[in-house]
Amino acid sequence: MDNQEKKKLLRMMLLIRRFEEKLVALSKDPQKFGGMMIVCTGQEAVAAGAGAALLPEDVIVTNHRSHGHLLAKGAEPDLIMAEIFGRRTGYNKGKSGTLHIAAPEVNALCTTTVVGGGIPIAMGTAFAAQYMNKDYVTVCFFGNGASDEGSFHEALNMASLWNLPVIFVCENNVYSGAQRQEEHTKVKDIADRAVAYAMRGEVVDGNDALAVYEAVQRAREECLSGAGPVLIECKTYRWGGHGTADMQLYQPQEEIAGWKEKCPIKKLQADLQQAGVLTEQEFQQMESDVEQIVEQAVRFAEASPWPEPAEALEDVYV
Amino acid sequence: MQQITLGEAVNQALREEMRRDERIFIAGEGVGVSIHSGPGATSGLLEEFGPRRVKDTPVSEAGIAGLAVGASVMGLLPVVEIMFNPFFTIAADQIVNHAAKLRYLSGGKSKFPLVVRIKTGAGMGAGCQHSHNLEAWLAHSPGLKVVMPATPADAKGLLKSAIRDENPVIFIEDIILHWVPGPVPEEDYTIPIGVADIKKPGTDVTVVTWSKALGTAFKAAGQLEQEGISVEIVDLRSLVPLDEATVLESVRKTGRLVVLHEATRTGGFGGEIAALAAEKAFDALKAPVLRVTAPDIPVPYSKPLEDFYMPNEADLIEAIKRLF
Ligand SMILES: Cc1ncc(C[n+]2csc(CCOP(=O)(O)OP(=O)(O)O)c2C)c(N)n1
């Protein structure tokens, strides 16, 4: 990755961070949008790193914690924001909301909030690539908790059996709801679960965007050469609660503070500054660019029309 | 009388039953340590009964349901939780193919005294993968009892009956009702499964409903009362077994029937009630039986769309007026 691309990577993490900080702030106002806001603050390196390794034709399948994945795949901030505002101009005309935004325009084909639900689907989109002899890969994002669902195990077994071009990216943020990893599985590294399906598994520092990028890039090549699938476990941490309604009573303060020290944005920023690639001024510029994008997205969403009630009846069938 | 929410009523029923019978344990995602810190259906139970009887599980719905099936045949009394109704589909093999059928397959030799608690309902802006009322699917599986309370008092008494029942019981709790308070007796009591309740007597039209839609029925009845139409509201409380007698008696009295439910229309349980009236009270009907339901769409996220999805009192009033 050249220096320009590294800066883009940093900028993407910053965009995800500020975009979601805005969502959390807005969600305090029940007039704006209801429900619980689920964000990936602290985990941005996974989305940004993986996104940087993908081409437009590559497919992503993601889960309830998806804003970062979508942005990094190239989805439009305006259209994501409008969807979360429930407006007609949003990616899914207000049908999805924050939890299930699909952006087929950028091959973000399925965002599911059914934990584990996307994993077999990613196996299916990968099957289609093999069947049609096409050179794209599928990246499937899911959490450590999702690896306890039967769907995970069935999908990995089938993907491995047929050498499908799919990269399973497990975003291990230590928690699954209020349960810590050691309370939901005895497995220490989710990557070890690859062994059960004779697939390559790898543990990556999920707070190191470059490391994630490199791992996904490598896996992508393997997949395209017919040596897929691959399971990549990105070790990271959820700074906030499961969602905005979560008071985090079960999350030790020292643990949160420790992980904040390992902020993926600060890390890449520091690395780039130390290498003389990024000046403080450039970083400030990045901050203000990103802020403008987020503000613009909110303006777009707020100015957008609500759907007419009867539009609820549309889009059920083709 | 104490005023508590449906969520708290569930909590009391669980707590009192667990104190009474050591064979009862609960299991589910976050039933012990939860991301929600307010008073909830299972809050405080881990502290009182410990991790042996309050099992936080992995996100593994098939496993949770299978745990209940296996533990119950060995003589334990599991009360397991499926967080939201759509996730029931992942547990469905264990519940529909196993819990419901294994007694039959044993020729009546085995029993499976388990309870599956499921949260359900639209109105929370979460979209269709959290909100999807699937009670008709469950009612369509012989071998299961299906209970769907509308008030805190009913929830407490019915959950106790469900736990004491020797059959698999699916206990469906509307998530919005979880936060709605109502009067609940302090003493130990049960409400029998399979007995409907006339929540409001009336003379001109029968509205059969259950769960959160009961509130909608009351709003409509209040308005219609002022226009001289007297509505009788029958709260089914249990879909299986169905209290046919109470429904038919009411229909015979009023001569008109509207069924109201939040679930979508086609294949909804409202069709079952309409068929019951057609088969067994046709002679008493002065007008066609109508259904007021959600349209046949997944629950949308956006507020105006979700409001459109939800059958409301205006829809019910309009339907009732068509009968006169
Ligand atoms: C099938 C299913 N069961 C339960 C839930 C409720 N739920 C939503 S997220 C979540 C925890 C998932 O943990 P993990 O997969 O590690 O992802 P994370 O939230 O940590 O990103 C649970 C239990 C759900 N959405 N789907």
Side-chain angles (χ1 to χ4, degrees):
Chain A
M1 193 178 250
D2 68 25
N3 289 337
Q4 236 12 61
E5 286 169 326
K6 287 179 187 168
K7 284 192 222 175
K8 273 200 200 153
L9 191 55
L10 178 61
R11 190 172 182 277
M12 180 53 74
M13 287 198 285
L14 209 53
L15 174 63
I16 296 169
R17 174 75 53 90
R18 300 292 175 246
F19 189 88
E20 291 197 318
E21 282 172 349
K22 185 54 123 189
L23 287 179
V24 169
L26 289 169
S27 69
K28 301 216 160 77
D29 177 358
Q31 301 305 315
K32 296 278 190 230
F33 28 75
M36 166 150 100
M37 193 51 64
I38 295 180
V39 297
C40 72
T41 304
Q43 309 175 204
E44 294 89 347
V46 179
L54 299 182
L55 295 181
E57 60 267 33
D58 292 330
V59 169
I60 65 165
V61 172
T62 165
N63 64 357
H64 53 283
R65 208 174 293 285
S66 69
H67 306 134
H69 308 142
L70 294 166
L71 287 167
K73 190 65 176 66
E76 299 281 347
D78 288 13
L79 306 191
I80 298 176
M81 192 64 86
E83 183 60 35
I84 297 171
F85 270 75
R87 304 307 166 99
R88 180 197 279 148
T89 53
Y91 263 115
N92 313 120
K93 307 179 198 165
K95 305 240 160 65
S96 266
T98 163
L99 285 176
H100 344 65
I101 297 175
E105 294 87 338
V106 295
N107 283 318
L109 292 176
C110 161
T111 298
T112 174
T113 179
V114 180
V115 169
I119 308 173
I121 295 172
M123 185 268 291
T125 59
F127 174 84
Q130 189 186 63
Y131 189 92
M132 297 188 289
N133 215 357
K134 290 212 169 144
D135 280 339
Y136 69 85
V137 301
T138 297
V139 167
C140 181
F141 296 99
F142 53 91
N144 43 305
S147 72
D148 295 333
E149 288 279 11
S151 57
F152 168 89
H153 297 273
E154 296 183 19
L156 264 71
N157 187 50
M158 288 171 76
S160 172
L161 180 66
W162 293 333
N163 294 107
L164 298 180
V166 49
I167 306 166
F168 299 104
V169 176
C170 176
E171 206 163 340
N172 185 345
N173 61 9
V174 179
Y175 288 90
S176 164
Q179 276 60 56
R180 296 178 63 81
Q181 186 184 338
E182 58 270 27
E183 293 165 331
H184 72 79
T185 180
K186 277 205 175 175
V187 176
K188 293 255 174 338
D189 294 325
I190 305 296
D192 283 352
R193 294 189 147 165
V195 176
Y197 307 106
M199 168 189 311
R200 190 172 75 77
E202 176 180 358
V203 175
V204 178
D205 177 353
N207 279 26
D208 180 345
L210 283 171
V212 174
Y213 164 79
E214 279 161 17
V216 174
Q217 167 82 6
R218 232 178 0 257
R220 188 176 186 279
E221 263 149 35
E222 264 171 82
C223 281
L224 291 180
S225 73
V230 179
L231 171 61
I232 299 174
E233 176 187 6
C234 303
K235 303 259 194 206
T236 181
Y237 189 78
R238 194 188 77 194
W239 288 10
H242 174 69
T244 40
D246 179 351
M247 306 287 289
Q248 296 183 273
L249 299 181
Y250 53 87
Q251 250 172 301
Q253 284 305 323
E254 321 78 72
E255 182 181 80
I256 301 174
W259 279 92
K260 283 190 174 170
E261 289 296 305
K262 294 188 267 186
C263 172
I265 296 177
K266 275 200 207 133
K267 175 179 167 38
L268 185 57
Q269 180 195 355
D271 288 353
L272 294 183
Q273 285 182 340
Q274 261 163 33
V277 171
L278 179 80
T279 64
E280 182 57 32
Q281 203 188 353
E282 276 177 297
F283 185 72
Q284 290 313 323
Q285 186 60 45
M286 245 182 223
E287 277 277 19
S288 73
D289 289 352
V290 159
E291 192 184 310
Q292 276 190 20
I293 293 172
V294 173
E295 289 306 325
Q296 157 58 26
V298 174
R299 275 197 303 276
F300 174 78
E302 286 189 321
S304 290
W306 290 97
E308 288 300 321
E311 288 174 33
L313 298 172
E314 297 168 6
D315 304 319
V316 182
Y317 298 100
V318 176
Chain B
M1 211 183 285
Q2 57 174 347
Q3 288 281 332
I4 57 173
T5 64
L6 189 143
E8 291 166 317
V10 166
N11 188 287
Q12 279 189 2
L14 289 171
R15 194 183 294 272
E16 291 171 18
E17 290 301 288
M18 288 178 80
R19 282 179 188 158
R20 189 183 55 76
D21 194 329
E22 155 82 6
R23 294 172 300 169
I24 301 168
F25 74 95
I26 67 169
E29 297 155 16
V31 296
V33 181
S34 164
I35 60 171
H36 301 289
S37 31
T42 57
S43 54
L45 299 179
L46 176 63
E47 289 73 8
E48 177 165 351
F49 300 103
R52 177 169 162 267
R53 297 182 68 195
V54 178
K55 311 289 302 176
D56 271 322
T57 67
V59 192
S60 304
E61 286 77 11
I64 293 167
L67 167 75
V69 177
S72 65
V73 75
M74 299 310 293
L76 296 183
L77 301 175
V79 183
V80 299
E81 177 179 305
I82 299 293
M83 198 181 286
F84 289 107
N85 209 158
F87 316 151
F88 148 78
T89 58
I90 304 169
D93 167 53
Q94 289 298 324
I95 298 172
V96 174
N97 298 325
H98 295 93
K101 295 175 183 164
L102 286 176
R103 173 176 175 76
Y104 192 73
L105 288 171
S106 79
K109 290 181 182 163
S110 304
K111 57 184 180 185
F112 299 84
L114 61 92
V115 178
V116 183
R117 291 182 41 245
I118 307 178
K119 284 179 276 181
T120 199
M124 54 177 176
C128 61
Q129 288 185 335
H130 281 71
S131 300
H132 192 170
N133 281 24
L134 292 170
E135 67 266 23
W137 285 27
L138 288 151
H140 205 59
S141 296
L144 302 179
K145 294 188 177 181
V146 182
V147 177
M148 226 166 151
T151 68
D154 284 349
K156 185 171 175 187
L158 280 162
L159 183 54
K160 287 194 171 203
S161 293
I163 292 171
R164 297 177 195 186
D165 200 290
E166 300 211 283
N167 297 286
V169 180
I170 312 296
F171 191 86
I172 308 177
E173 303 159 18
D174 186 278
I175 186 71
I176 302 287
L177 292 182
H178 255 238
W179 301 303
V180 178
V184 174
E186 319 263 344
E187 70 275 9
D188 181 36
Y189 68 98
T190 58
I191 290 175
I193 295 174
V195 177
D197 186 34
I198 298 185
K199 285 279 175 350
K200 181 194 163 302
T203 51
D204 301 327
V205 56
T206 298
V207 172
V208 171
T209 191
W210 54 92
S211 191
K212 172 157 94 255
L214 179 67
T216 309
F218 264 100
K219 282 189 203 150
Q223 290 188 36
L224 287 168
E225 215 73 16
Q226 309 193 338
E227 301 177 34
I229 299 176
S230 163
V231 182
E232 175 146 304
I233 302 175
V234 179
D235 174 8
L236 280 189
R237 302 196 292 195
S238 307
L239 306 194
V240 180
L242 177 62
D243 183 355
E244 293 192 2
T246 299
V247 173
L248 291 170
E249 199 181 317
S250 177
V251 171
R252 289 198 173 285
K253 181 170 88 176
T254 64
R256 296 180 183 87
L257 172 62
V258 178
V259 193
L260 168 71
H261 60 66
E262 182 180 315
T264 54
R265 188 175 184 83
T266 303
F269 201 72
E272 194 57 38
I273 305 301
L276 173 69
E279 283 174 357
K280 299 190 179 165
F282 188 75
D283 53 315
L285 288 170
K286 298 176 197 155
V289 177
L290 295 183
R291 288 175 290 166
V292 176
T293 69
D296 285 328
I297 58 172
V299 176
Y301 160 80
S302 180
K303 185 84 173 63
L305 302 184
E306 194 182 31
D307 288 348
F308 175 85
Y309 170 91
M310 199 73 93
N312 60 26
E313 57 271 26
D315 300 328
L316 181 58
I317 289 170
E318 192 263 333
I320 289 174
K321 285 189 172 169
R322 275 162 53 201
L323 303 182
F324 290 90

